[in-house]
Amino acid sequence: MTTAFELQFRPSAALIQVVRRFVSDFYVGVLDDPDAVARVALATHELLENAVKYSMDGTTELSIDVEPGPEGTREIAIRLRNRAATCDIEALRGLFEEMERFPDPCAQYQVAMERGARRRTGSGLGIVRVRAEGEMRMRCSVEGDRVLIEARTQVGPRGQA
Amino acid sequence: MSALELPALEVPDLSVEATCHGEVVELRLSGTADMRVSEALERVLSRVHEEAQRSEVKQVRVDLRALEFMNSSCLKSFVTWIGNARDVSEKHRYSIHFISRSEILWQRRSLHALRCFAVDLISVEC
C-alpha cells in the first residue's frame, strides 16, 4: 500500500514555505523518524524552489510517494516535473554528470560551495544539497524541454528512529 | 553595545539584527530564509564583513536558534561571506561562531557543511 499525493500548481515563492510546512506535517504523519522528516522536508523545499525558479511556463508538478520496502522500511520518492530552457537543462546535466565523478555527496557539496562562493548568479547548491544533506539518491530525465528530477531515500521501520 | 545598521530585508518572514559588543558582533536571524531574501541577505552579510574589518572585530556570533529554515540560495550567501572572511589578511581576520538549536535538525547538517568549508574559521555550538 503506497501513501502518496501530488500537487500541480503555479506556485509563488511565498507559497513554497507553505508547501514545505504542509509536506513536513505529512511526513510527520507517515514517518516516526524526526531526522528523516527533516531530510525529506529540506529536499522537498529545495527541489520545489529549483523547479519553480527554472520553470519556463510557471507550472510545476510535485509528487511524493511513500512506498513500503523490505522488513518494514519505507522508500520516499520525491518527483518534480517542469519545463525548462535549454541552457538550464544543460547546467542540470552538468550537475548530474558531476555526481558520477563524486560518489561521496559531501565531497561534491564542498566543491559546489567553493564554486558558489565566487558565483554572481544562482547558488548551484540546491540539487547538491539535496543529495548531501538530504541523503537522497538522485535521478534526472529529460524529454525535450520536460524535466523530471527524482530524489529517493529509505527510512527505517517504525519505532527504530 | 551598539546596534549595527543593516540593509533592509523588506520581507516579513525573515528578520536580521546585529549588535556590536567591542570585539564581537552578534547577528541574530529569525523566521525563514528562502529565495525571496537571498540577495538582501548577501548585502547584510557583506555589511557585517565590512564592519568586522573596519572595527577590527575578533568574532562574529551568528544566532540561528530562531531560524526555522534556510534554503540553498541563502546558504550560498553565507558561503560567499565565509569565503570573503577566509581571504582577508591576518590583521583583519575574525572567527565566525554559529549558535544553533539541536531540535532544528537541518541546522546540524548545514552547519557541519559550512564548517568543513572553512574549518579554521568556523565553530558551531548546539
Side-chain angles (χ1 to χ4, degrees), chain B residues 2-65:
Chain B
S2 62
L4 178 60
E5 200 169 313
L6 296 172
L9 288 172
E10 293 166 353
V11 174
D13 297 309
L14 179 71
S15 84
V16 184
E17 294 171 348
T19 48
C20 300
H21 309 256
E23 293 186 330
V24 176
V25 170
E26 286 200 6
L27 187 65
R28 283 175 303 283
L29 283 78
S30 57
T32 299
D34 62 18
M35 66 195 290
R36 295 167 296 162
V37 296
S38 58
E39 287 178 15
L41 183 61
E42 193 141 339
R43 288 194 294 273
V44 164
L45 295 174
S46 177
R47 170 82 182 90
V48 168
H49 180 62
E50 286 167 14
E51 182 61 25
Q53 290 185 94
R54 192 188 64 80
S55 305
E56 297 192 352
V57 157
K58 295 289 175 241
Q59 186 176 70
V60 178
R61 296 170 67 83
V62 186
D63 188 342
L64 301 179
R65 286 174 296 182

Side-chain angles (χ1 to χ4, degrees), chain B residues 1-125:
Chain B
M1 184 181 99
S2 62
L4 178 60
E5 200 169 313
L6 296 172
L9 288 172
E10 293 166 353
V11 174
D13 297 309
L14 179 71
S15 84
V16 184
E17 294 171 348
T19 48
C20 300
H21 309 256
E23 293 186 330
V24 176
V25 170
E26 286 200 6
L27 187 65
R28 283 175 303 283
L29 283 78
S30 57
T32 299
D34 62 18
M35 66 195 290
R36 295 167 296 162
V37 296
S38 58
E39 287 178 15
L41 183 61
E42 193 141 339
R43 288 194 294 273
V44 164
L45 295 174
S46 177
R47 170 82 182 90
V48 168
H49 180 62
E50 286 167 14
E51 182 61 25
Q53 290 185 94
R54 192 188 64 80
S55 305
E56 297 192 352
V57 157
K58 295 289 175 241
Q59 186 176 70
V60 178
R61 296 170 67 83
V62 186
D63 188 342
L64 301 179
R65 286 174 296 182
L67 189 68
E68 180 193 337
F69 186 75
M70 177 159 59
N71 83 329
S72 57
S73 308
C74 292
L75 192 71
K76 186 262 178 187
S77 302
F78 275 92
V79 166
T80 299
W81 171 42
I82 293 163
N84 291 336
R86 211 174 45 176
D87 291 343
V88 299
S89 65
E90 197 64 44
K91 181 177 181 289
H92 293 107
R93 183 150 301 180
Y94 57 91
S95 64
I96 299 171
H97 182 72
F98 286 98
I99 304 162
S100 64
R101 224 172 91 199
S102 56
E103 299 93 332
I104 306 176
L105 293 164
W106 64 264
Q107 291 187 356
R108 180 168 47 87
R109 285 190 173 87
S110 297
L111 294 178
H112 174 73
L114 285 180
R115 188 161 185 277
C116 289
F117 180 64
V119 72
D120 296 339
L121 215 63
I122 293 176
S123 54
V124 178
E125 174 187 334

